[in-house]
Amino acid sequence: MKFNIKKIKLPTIKWGVVYEDDIPIEELKLNLRTTRRLKIAKINTIRELKNLTLEKFMKTARIGAEVTHATLEYLFKRNHYLADFDPEVYEDIDAYIIDKIKCKDCGCELDGQSNAKTQRCQECDEKANRRRMSEMFEISIVDLVYDESEKYIKVIANLTNLTDQPVKYIVKEVSALVVERKVIGRLEQINDEIALPYNVRTISSVINCEAIPEVKFPENLTIYIQEVVSQKVHCYVYAMDESGEWKFDDYYSINEEM
């Protein structure tokens, strides 16, 4: 007969007492993904977990803002704190997070109006909430061709119908903007099209900028899509990030014809 003998790491015992900080982190019953991430980083006990600062914990666990908040709150209720948490300074986890990190979207200092669960300042959090409101269409910028000599901007985007029904729509407007949202070019109403459920359509829009004295590469793009039947207008705002990619920045809707 063969026997499999598994090594078991026992917590430190002195005079028959098990030190709580030496208990394996599995005993905390954290989110499974969090536990796995910590184990991979060789964080095996509560003591090793509590030796981490918030910055180190976030880099080690890599679990996202809301799971990070839930994990720290879980530990807080059990009187377990990270290395840079002072119970005499911070009355709760929200105050701790707001004091220790910056807004993950814009990099500004967080304050009392910020959302510690999402790690965003108030303005960025409101934007994120508006982005989630877009339930009819999803739009992604594929390419932007900028020709200064010919004074035109060509925007290529993919539009996806996120509903279970065909939607007749019009690309109401495509605008290119620079600093302080000054419009440098605008393409108005294209003929109506039909977007099938979960079907991707490519929108190709050429913006004539001849009336603009000095054409510059746009810093923002806005695309207005109107549902033909309901007349509801969806506005998608894009900004270019540091890597040169167009990022979905904001969304809002208008329940009347523009």
Side-chain angles (χ1 to χ4, degrees):
M1 293 181 67
K2 292 184 178 180
F3 296 94
N4 291 323
I5 301 175
K6 184 179 179 181
K7 278 189 173 183
I8 300 175
K9 186 177 180 180
L10 296 174
T12 303
I13 300 176
K14 186 177 182 180
W15 302 104
V17 176
V18 177
Y19 289 109
E20 188 176 21
D21 281 1
D22 291 319
I23 293 175
I25 59 169
E26 292 90 338
E27 296 298 320
L28 282 172
K29 302 188 186 305
L30 295 170
N31 174 282
L32 181 59
R33 185 185 174 201
T34 304
T35 302
R36 283 178 177 171
R37 293 283 190 185
L38 292 169
K39 294 286 285 183
I40 290 171
K42 302 187 184 306
I43 307 298
N44 297 304
T45 66
I46 295 177
R47 184 187 305 281
E48 291 169 336
L49 174 61
K50 290 165 70 172
N51 283 337
L52 299 175
T53 62
L54 177 57
E55 181 182 4
K56 185 67 174 176
F57 174 80
M58 290 172 61
K59 287 182 179 179
T60 300
R62 294 178 295 156
I63 52 175
E66 295 195 20
V67 179
T68 293
H69 185 278
T71 301
L72 296 179
E73 197 165 54
Y74 180 90
L75 294 171
F76 178 81
K77 290 177 180 178
R78 287 154 181 78
N79 297 318
H80 294 306
Y81 314 114
L82 297 185
D84 54 352
F85 183 94
D86 186 344
E88 296 183 2
V89 175
Y90 306 111
E91 61 180 12
D92 55 30
I93 291 302
D94 286 28
Y96 171 54
I97 291 175
I98 286 172
D99 183 54
K100 292 293 181 182
I101 66 172
K102 295 182 179 181
C103 175
K104 71 177 184 180
D105 286 357
C106 71
C108 74
E109 299 287 343
L110 299 183
D111 57 25
Q113 303 301 315
S114 304
N115 189 336
K117 289 184 178 180
T118 62
Q119 297 176 10
R120 291 188 176 102
C121 66
Q122 184 179 22
E123 182 179 351
C124 289
D125 202 52
E126 290 172 353
K127 273 188 179 184
N129 288 332
R130 288 197 297 271
R131 288 195 294 269
R132 287 193 289 269
M133 290 168 58
S134 175
E135 298 178 350
M136 178 65 69
F137 301 109
E138 179 180 86
I139 299 179
S140 58
I141 306 297
V142 177
D143 194 14
L144 182 141
V145 179
Y146 163 71
D147 192 310
E148 185 176 4
S149 60
E150 297 294 328
K151 287 200 169 184
Y152 75 82
I153 296 170
K154 184 177 182 180
V155 180
I156 303 172
N158 284 337
L159 178 145
T160 305
N161 173 9
L162 300 178
T163 72
D164 295 324
Q165 300 295 326
V167 178
K168 183 178 280 191
Y169 71 92
I170 293 173
V171 180
K172 189 76 173 176
E173 180 182 309
V174 179
S175 299
L177 306 97
V178 290
V179 177
E180 297 180 351
R181 298 193 64 78
K182 178 182 178 182
V183 176
I184 59 172
R186 176 184 286 128
L187 171 69
E188 298 185 357
Q189 195 162 330
I190 301 176
N191 293 334
D192 60 88
E193 300 281 351
I194 294 178
L196 299 176
Y198 305 103
N199 184 263
V200 179
R201 293 189 66 92
T202 299
I203 302 168
S204 181
S205 307
V206 178
I207 303 172
N208 190 324
C209 306
E210 289 182 356
I212 308 300
E214 184 181 1
V215 179
K216 297 180 179 179
F217 192 89
E219 297 175 358
N220 298 91
L221 292 172
T222 57
I223 299 177
Y224 294 86
I225 305 293
Q226 184 175 39
E227 298 173 53
V228 173
V229 176
S230 68
Q231 297 293 297
K232 184 175 182 179
V233 178
H234 305 264
C235 176
Y236 299 83
V237 182
Y238 297 84
M240 183 168 283
D241 62 19
E242 295 178 356
S243 65
E245 298 292 327
W246 288 102
K247 179 182 177 183
F248 181 27
D249 185 57
D250 206 350
Y251 166 86
Y252 59 88
S253 62
I254 305 169
N255 290 312
E256 60 183 7
E257 188 173 0
M258 293 178 64

